[in-house]
């Protein structure tokens, strides 16, 4: 009997959460900013990787340009 009640309450809570989640909306600029942040975060090593690796490998040696 406890298992049935636990399953009922868990499924009920999940259904109510998903119903609330479907009614929740985020403005378009938030999606754009989040996408830009994810793009920068996923390509961080390609953008800043060489400078970061040079400083970590040879911190005393000045960077040659």
């Amino acid at each position: 009997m406890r298992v049935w009640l636990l399953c009922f309450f868990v499924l009920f809570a999940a259904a109510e959460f998903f119903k609330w989640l479907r009614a929740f909306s985020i403005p378009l600029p938030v999606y754009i900013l989040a996408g830009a942040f994810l793009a920068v975060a996923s390509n961080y090593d390609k953008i800043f990787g060489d400078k970061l690796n040079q400083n970590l490998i040879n911190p005393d040696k000045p960077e040659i340009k």
Side-chain angles (χ1 to χ4, degrees):
M1 183 69 178
R2 290 181 190 170
V3 174
W4 286 104
L5 284 174
L6 180 65
C7 288
F8 173 77
F9 285 119
V10 167
L11 290 174
F12 179 75
E16 288 296 317
F17 175 72
F18 285 120
K19 188 169 80 170
W20 173 80
L21 193 61
R22 287 186 68 183
F24 186 73
S25 66
I26 299 175
L28 183 62
V30 174
Y31 281 119
I32 293 170
L33 290 174
F37 172 75
L38 288 174
V40 169
S42 65
N43 293 312
Y44 187 80
D45 59 339
K46 294 177 185 173
I47 298 170
F48 301 108
D50 294 335
K51 295 176 186 175
L52 183 64
N53 287 337
Q54 276 184 341
N55 290 339
L56 289 176
I57 293 171
N58 299 320
D60 297 333
K61 200 173 192 181
E63 185 178 331
I64 301 171
K65 291 186 178 183

